[in-house]
Amino acid sequence: MAVVDMNILDRASLDWVQIEHSLDAQGFARIPPLLASEECDAIARLYADDSCFRSRVEMERFRFGAGEYKYFSAPLPAIVQSLREQLYERLVPIANRWADRLKSARTRGPAFPETLESYLRACHAAGQKRPTPLLLSYLAGGYNCLHQDIYGDLAFPLQVVFMLSRRDVDYSGGEFLLVEQRPRAQSRGHAIAIDQGAAVIFATRERPVEGTRGPYRAALRHGVSTVTSGARMTLGIIFHDAK
């Protein structure tokens, strides 16, 4: 791949105040296109090179859905590493604020370090040493059941998905799904269409919601609706490593 622009998040005028507000209000936030079509295509082409990956998962085998995904091996491709580091540093203040809201007054304090490198050291000390960024591939009829990406005791509360394919050109259908379950309430769902190069930041497992007696935990799961035609590929950026 070509030399990576190390300031990927500076390519668009991202309103981080609005992003934080959206995450607080809905558990997800849209990011406008950050990756050029050439970069999306270059990342997608890596899928054919098994030397880039540590494992491949067929969703049907485990009843996860229909399709497959591959976890990158270390070291990550430069553009994936840059996205992971830059996004972590932007999102860690939100992650710590969420964690603080869900703790008692006695246990408040920073839950996540300022840099991805420091956080991954904690993951590795906990036995979570395998990288988790991945490429997900779906053909017509493919889908991903609702789930959470938890790989051990440590889990960063936010993650990101980038669309590498062209909606309504390379594929149709295949909306990103996010379902929130609040205690003693019906589930609320979102179906989100993502343009090529754009992304969605979303809660990994739960988010704080303000209630009459203070914040409570609203659980979230994510998935992909059925791809009705073509081929769809995304890049998933998960910040905690796996056991």
Side-chain angles (χ1 to χ4, degrees), residues 47 59 66-70 135-139 231-234:
Y47 201 79
M59 296 184 197
E68 63 178 38
Y69 52 89
K70 295 181 179 181
L135 292 181
L136 303 99
S137 176
Y138 306 89
L139 300 177
R232 176 192 190 273
M233 185 170 291
T234 53

Side-chain angles (χ1 to χ4, degrees), residues 9 11 21 41 51 98 101 103 160 162 173 224 231:
L9 299 189
R11 295 178 181 178
H21 174 75
D41 293 342
S51 67
W98 279 16
R101 289 180 65 192
K103 291 179 181 178
V160 188
F162 281 87
V224 175

Side-chain angles (χ1 to χ4, degrees), residues 175-201:
E175 292 84 3
F176 177 73
L177 302 176
L178 192 67
V179 175
E180 178 180 88
Q181 177 64 62
R182 300 185 181 187
R184 298 177 298 280
Q186 297 293 326
S187 298
R188 179 177 70 160
H190 300 274
I192 306 166
I194 312 173
D195 291 330
Q196 186 184 47
V200 174
I201 305 169

